[in-house]
Amino acid sequence: MIKVYYIMHSCFMVELDDRYLLFDYFDKSVVSDVVEFSGCLPELDPNKYLYVFASHSHKDHWCLENLRWADSRDNIKYILSKDIRLGRNYLIRNGFDLSIKDKIQFVGSMKTYKVDDMVIETLRSTDAGVAFIVQVNGLNIYHAGDLNWWNAEGKGELYGEVYGREYKRMLKPIMNRHFDLGFVVMDARMGEDGYFLGMEYFVKNIECDHIFPMHMWGQYQWIERFKKRPGIANLRDRIIDIDRENVIFEIED
């Protein structure tokens, strides 16, 4: 049994028999002027290894305080995009022992890394940082970070075309691969003509069993709207319904 915890925004945690994979956890107070999230981490088994992923440095995807978990947990490692700057003086100023760096694997785009028994690949984002592909315990997991077909309302047709070309190019390396879990951006701020573009392209072109919409800023009603779009009917069962934070999904492995 695989457990997927939707915590908030783009933050999900995958619980396997022997470990947790936590993606893009952040301090919800930093976006409280935009949306009031109620998401929080569940109580974790101290015997399970915790791998903390951060796709980039934006405040809705990463929080420096995450590093303090290592004070009370030996079995923890961080996989962080290189745009998250953690220089020596910065860490000291914020009260961290420099030994924390031994627990961090920084990753760049379009690279492959081995972290313990996991293979971690990265794609280049169309915004900042990376998207993650994680091979672990026979599973293939995709987390987009901010890799998306951005098409902000009012920016014009050319804006969307440029991001569309880049989005398709960035996904080319995974076109013929199968994923068990996919966490994919569907941002309502893009408006009626743009919110669905990245998700729709992913759903129609990438083989993925369970697709979790994310980066929705609490606007969960857009999931059902998307599932009613033409051409999605025979694919809609892959898309997981989310209507609030702090939800656990159990998936047979």
Side-chain angles (χ1 to χ4, degrees), residues 29-87:
S29 70
V30 302
V31 296
S32 60
D33 59 329
V34 179
V35 58
E36 289 286 345
F37 284 123
S38 62
C40 57
L41 284 178
E43 184 174 348
L44 303 183
D45 182 342
N47 297 312
K48 287 191 176 186
Y49 220 102
L50 174 60
Y51 294 92
V52 181
F53 294 77
S55 63
H56 61 291
S57 62
H58 290 173
K59 66 182 182 180
D60 59 325
H61 292 261
W62 163 249
C63 176
L64 180 64
E65 292 301 302
N66 295 356
L67 295 181
R68 300 201 193 278
W69 298 336
D71 294 341
S72 57
R73 178 184 280 270
D74 292 328
N75 53 353
I76 187 170
K77 286 186 180 176
Y78 299 86
I79 300 93
L80 309 181
S81 170
K82 284 183 176 179
D83 72 307
I84 297 172
R85 306 294 185 187
L86 298 175

Side-chain angles (χ1 to χ4, degrees), residues 223-251:
I223 298 175
E224 188 58 33
R225 186 176 305 187
F226 173 75
K227 292 172 77 169
K228 292 177 179 177
R229 283 188 56 77
I232 297 298
N234 62 334
L235 301 170
R236 59 177 288 149
D237 288 346
R238 298 184 189 177
I239 301 159
I240 305 300
D241 288 313
I242 298 173
D243 60 4
R244 64 191 185 280
E245 295 91 54
N246 299 316
V247 184
I248 304 173
F249 302 91
E250 295 187 345
I251 297 171

Side-chain angles (χ1 to χ4, degrees), residues 72-204:
S72 57
R73 178 184 280 270
D74 292 328
N75 53 353
I76 187 170
K77 286 186 180 176
Y78 299 86
I79 300 93
L80 309 181
S81 170
K82 284 183 176 179
D83 72 307
I84 297 172
R85 306 294 185 187
L86 298 175
R88 181 180 185 276
N89 292 338
Y90 178 69
L91 289 170
I92 291 172
R93 281 200 311 272
N94 284 278
F96 291 97
D97 190 288
L98 293 179
S99 62
I100 188 64
K101 285 209 165 187
D102 296 336
K103 295 182 177 293
I104 300 173
Q105 171 69 66
F106 288 102
V107 299
S109 60
M110 309 304 292
K111 304 284 187 181
T112 301
Y113 301 85
K114 187 80 181 292
V115 176
D116 296 337
D117 59 346
M118 298 189 297
V119 176
I120 299 170
E121 300 169 70
T122 59
L123 302 178
R124 182 176 291 113
S125 177
T126 48
D127 187 2
V130 302
F132 289 111
I133 300 155
V134 184
Q135 298 176 49
V136 55
N137 292 6
L139 296 173
N140 289 314
I141 300 169
Y142 171 80
H143 188 283
D146 267 1
L147 173 55
N148 186 36
W149 183 333
W150 299 107
N151 188 29
E153 202 166 33
K155 285 290 187 78
E157 189 174 338
L158 181 59
Y159 178 91
E161 287 180 1
V162 169
Y163 272 100
R165 287 196 299 270
E166 281 300 292
Y167 183 66
K168 293 174 184 179
R169 188 163 70 90
M170 291 305 103
L171 288 184
K172 271 189 177 180
I174 64 171
M175 277 301 198
N176 297 312
R177 296 173 62 172
H178 169 267
F179 291 90
D180 300 277
L181 306 174
F183 304 101
V184 182
V185 175
M186 195 170 74
D187 194 325
R189 297 175 305 169
M190 301 300 102
E192 287 284 357
D193 295 330
Y195 82 94
F196 61 89
L197 291 171
M199 174 65 81
E200 185 167 276
Y201 186 81
F202 186 92
V203 170
K204 289 183 175 180

